[in-house]
């Protein structure tokens, strides 16, 4: 068939015209997003935020930056080697260890406390592992007293002493009735790991959960740290006079998150299982890679952990699985996340499985945390990776 050269040239011209326009629009869009990110970085640098931020997409780091000082006294900035407190993000590792033992038929999620511990009171004997992991067992946040919870959590406590105190603690509601966030449930879960494996709970997690996927600087008591890499924590603790006059206290050092172990080594079972882990930005990235690749556990086990079992509030905007909160971002994207704090530190682990996106944030100075500004990293991250934008 004869080709109409004139017509072909016309359509070729139109094609390249459209392509040029789209290319310019795409380049313009990319420039705008990068400018927005640069503007955000400038604002972060001018704020009182000190910490680390990382964004990864499809397994690749697309943004990473460090802000402020990890140690003001030595003028040490946050950097790739900084070790910081991840608080309750520890719970996902405890829950993963439980699921691995369930997967190996060494535990059942419906096993009750009476199977693992002696002299369990009637009101607690039927509490299940499932209820411990979903914060629906009825336990309070911590074993009373509730005054000075941080110093209480860091007080030396043996495992059996902790269990005895827990079994004497009054429940807030009937097991399984509703949700109430509790470190106690994860402390008992850690004790169950020990009774099942015959190993310290942290050692089991290191050997069977973390080390196999290259997460080597995450843990509590068993790792040796270089002091120069430990982030010092800062807070604005008002004295009685300042409280009375509603005055803001000066930000000052409260030591690093292993200070209590350096000063007085030993178990802290009011904290263990539910908190206490420290980590690095590199380890958190490697843990995300393991999650996104479905390593450590079977696909079925991961789905069991990521199931939204119980609403965290009456609004039911977020549900709890096993060691994870399941909710949606502001723009409606499915999000699997957890936060962690020791009252001075704060860390956020966010995984968007449908978008293959990961965001991690950590600070050693929660009192001066610029919440609204930090939260903008989510929209910036989505703007960078959405199909309508140029991927970095």
């Amino acid at each position: 068939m004869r080709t109409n050269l004139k017509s072909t040239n016309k359509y070729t011209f139109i094609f390249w015209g459209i392509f040029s326009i789209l290319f310019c629009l795409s380049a313009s869009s990319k420039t705008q997003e990068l400018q927005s990110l640069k503007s955000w970085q400038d604002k972060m640098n001018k704020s009182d935020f000190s910490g680390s931020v990382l964004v990864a997409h499809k397994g690749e780091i697309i943004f990473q930056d460090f802000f402020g000082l990890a140690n003001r006294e030595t003028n040490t900035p946050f950097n790739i080697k900084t070790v910081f407190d991840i608080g309750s993000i520890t719970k996902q590792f405890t829950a993963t260890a439980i699921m691995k033992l369930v997967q190996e038929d060494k535990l059942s999620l419906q096993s009750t406390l009476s199977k693992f511990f002696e002299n369990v009171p009637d009101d607690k004997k039927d509490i299940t592992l499932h209820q411990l992991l979903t914060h629906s067992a009825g336990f309070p946040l911590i074993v009373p007293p509730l005054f000075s919870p941080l110093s209480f959590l860091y007080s030396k406590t043996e495992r059996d002493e902790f269990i005895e105190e827990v079994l004497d603690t009054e429940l807030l509601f009937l097991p399984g009735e509703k949700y109430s966030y509790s470190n106690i449930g994860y402390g008992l879960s850690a004790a169950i790991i020990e009774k099942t494996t015959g190993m310290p709970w942290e050692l089991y997690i290191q050997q069977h959960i973390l080390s196999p996927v290259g997460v080597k600087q995450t843990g509590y008591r068993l790792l040796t740290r270089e002091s120069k890499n430990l982030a010092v924590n800062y807070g604005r603790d008002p004295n009685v006079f300042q409280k009375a006059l509603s005055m803001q206290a000066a930000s000052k050092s409260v030591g690093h998150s292993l200070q209590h172990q350096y000063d007085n080594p030993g178990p802290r079972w009011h904290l263990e299982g539910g908190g206490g882990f420290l980590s690095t930005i590199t380890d958190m990235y490697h843990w995300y890679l393991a999650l996104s690749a479905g390593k450590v556990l079977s696909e079925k086990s991961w789905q069991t952990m990521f199931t939204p079992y119980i609403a965290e509030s009456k609004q039911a905007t977020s549900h709890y699985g096993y060691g994870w909160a399941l909710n949606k971002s502001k723009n409606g994207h499915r999000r699997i996340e957890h936060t962690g704090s020791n009252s001075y530190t704060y860390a956020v682990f966010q995984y968007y499985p449908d978008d293959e996106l990961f965001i991690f944030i950590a600070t050693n100075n929660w009192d001066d945390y610029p919440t609204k500004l930090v939260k903008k990293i989510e929209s910036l991250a989505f703007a960078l990776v959405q199909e309508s934008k140029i991927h970095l």
Side-chain angles (χ1 to χ4, degrees):
M1 183 175 67
R2 184 177 178 182
T3 302
N4 187 327
L5 185 61
K6 183 177 181 180
S7 175
T8 301
N9 288 338
K10 178 181 73 173
Y11 288 119
T12 301
F13 175 79
I14 292 173
F15 169 79
W16 283 109
I18 293 174
F19 177 82
S20 299
I21 293 171
L22 290 175
F23 178 82
C24 291
L25 288 173
S26 296
S28 174
S29 175
K30 180 179 179 181
T31 300
Q32 288 176 3
E33 300 310 332
L34 291 177
Q35 287 177 344
S36 296
L37 185 60
K38 179 64 169 61
S39 174
W40 179 84
Q41 285 178 279
D42 291 341
K43 291 177 182 177
M44 287 285 283
N45 280 315
K46 292 175 183 177
S47 75
D48 291 324
F49 178 80
S50 54
S52 306
V53 179
L54 183 147
V55 180
H57 180 237
K58 293 186 176 181
E60 299 294 329
I61 296 174
I62 62 172
F63 176 79
Q64 181 175 254
D65 204 355
F66 306 95
F67 303 87
L69 298 176
N71 187 328
R72 299 175 189 171
E73 289 66 38
T74 60
N75 202 38
T76 303
F78 259 86
N79 59 74
I80 196 73
K81 294 183 178 180
T82 300
V83 177
F84 45 77
D85 198 313
I86 61 171
S88 287
I89 292 175
T90 304
K91 289 180 173 67
Q92 64 189 252
F93 301 117
T94 303
T96 303
I98 291 288
M99 278 307 304
K100 186 168 183 64
L101 293 169
V102 169
Q103 185 176 295
E104 295 170 351
D105 293 324
K106 296 176 182 177
L107 281 177
S108 168
L109 292 167
Q110 299 308 315
S111 293
T112 61
L113 293 188
S114 57
K115 178 178 179 179
F116 305 104
F117 310 116
E118 297 180 354
N119 303 316
V120 180
D122 288 343
D123 64 331
K124 302 178 183 71
K125 66 180 182 181
D126 293 328
I127 290 174
T128 65
L129 254 176
H130 168 83
Q131 291 166 347
L132 296 180
L133 294 176
T134 56
H135 302 293
S136 60
F139 288 114
L141 175 62
I142 61 174
V143 178
L146 292 176
F147 60 85
S148 189
L150 184 59
S151 61
F152 178 71
L153 286 174
Y154 284 155
S155 64
K156 284 182 70 173
T157 311
E158 298 289 340
R159 187 189 74 184
D160 291 346
E161 178 187 356
F162 165 74
I163 294 170
E164 184 177 348
E165 291 179 5
V166 167
L167 296 182
D168 285 340
T169 298
E170 184 177 352
L171 296 179
L172 301 177
F173 49 82
L174 293 175
E177 188 176 63
K178 55 184 178 180
Y179 171 94
S180 183
Y181 191 84
S182 174
N183 283 328
I184 292 174
Y186 276 78
L188 290 176
S189 297
I192 289 169
I193 291 171
E194 294 198 346
K195 286 180 173 288
T196 303
T197 65
M199 298 172 61
W201 72 279
E202 184 185 351
L203 182 60
Y204 179 84
I205 288 174
Q206 281 189 358
Q207 292 186 356
H208 296 270
I209 307 298
L210 301 180
S211 292
V213 293
V215 178
K216 299 179 180 179
Q217 292 297 315
T218 299
Y220 178 35
R221 289 184 289 119
L222 301 184
L223 294 175
T224 300
R225 311 285 194 182
E226 288 191 56
S227 295
K228 66 180 181 180
N229 292 330
L230 287 168
V232 172
N233 305 324
Y234 298 90
R236 297 181 181 275
D237 294 330
N239 56 36
V240 175
F241 177 75
Q242 290 168 326
K243 285 182 179 180
L245 296 180
S246 299
M247 297 173 60
Q248 185 182 58
S251 179
K252 61 182 181 181
S253 168
V254 294
H256 56 69
S257 293
L258 290 178
Q259 196 71 55
H260 60 284
Q261 284 289 346
Y262 282 33
D263 295 342
N264 190 12
R268 264 77 176 177
W269 272 89
H270 292 294
L271 173 71
E272 299 187 32
F277 272 19
L278 280 70
S279 189
T280 66
I281 198 75
T282 300
D283 262 17
M284 290 292 93
Y285 169 62
H286 284 156
W287 180 238
Y288 145 72
L289 292 178
L291 289 178
S292 61
K295 295 182 178 180
V296 180
L297 299 175
S298 68
E299 181 180 354
K300 180 181 179 181
S301 293
W302 279 122
Q303 291 306 314
T304 299
M305 288 189 66
F306 296 153
T307 298
Y309 294 108
I310 188 165
E312 294 189 274
S313 66
K314 291 182 179 179
Q315 292 74 28
T317 54
S318 182
H319 290 71
Y320 208 84
Y322 293 161
W324 295 96
L326 299 313
N327 50 48
K328 291 185 177 181
S329 67
K330 189 175 181 179
N331 52 2
H333 294 253
R334 187 163 66 101
R335 180 170 59 198
I336 300 169
E337 68 173 352
H338 213 289
T339 60
S341 173
N342 69 0
S343 296
Y344 297 102
T345 66
Y346 187 64
V348 184
F349 189 111
Q350 297 177 319
Y351 173 45
Y352 306 78
D354 300 334
D355 304 279
E356 301 180 84
L357 180 67
F358 168 61
I359 299 173
F360 184 83
I361 304 160
T363 182
N364 62 339
N365 179 23
W366 195 16
D367 283 348
D368 294 324
Y369 190 77
T371 303
K372 290 183 179 179
L373 180 60
V374 176
K375 282 186 174 181
K376 288 184 178 179
I377 191 62
E378 181 183 73
S379 60
L380 287 170
F382 272 106
L384 286 170
V385 303
Q386 290 305 299
E387 292 181 2
S388 60
K389 305 295 181 183
I390 296 294
H391 290 207
L392 288 184

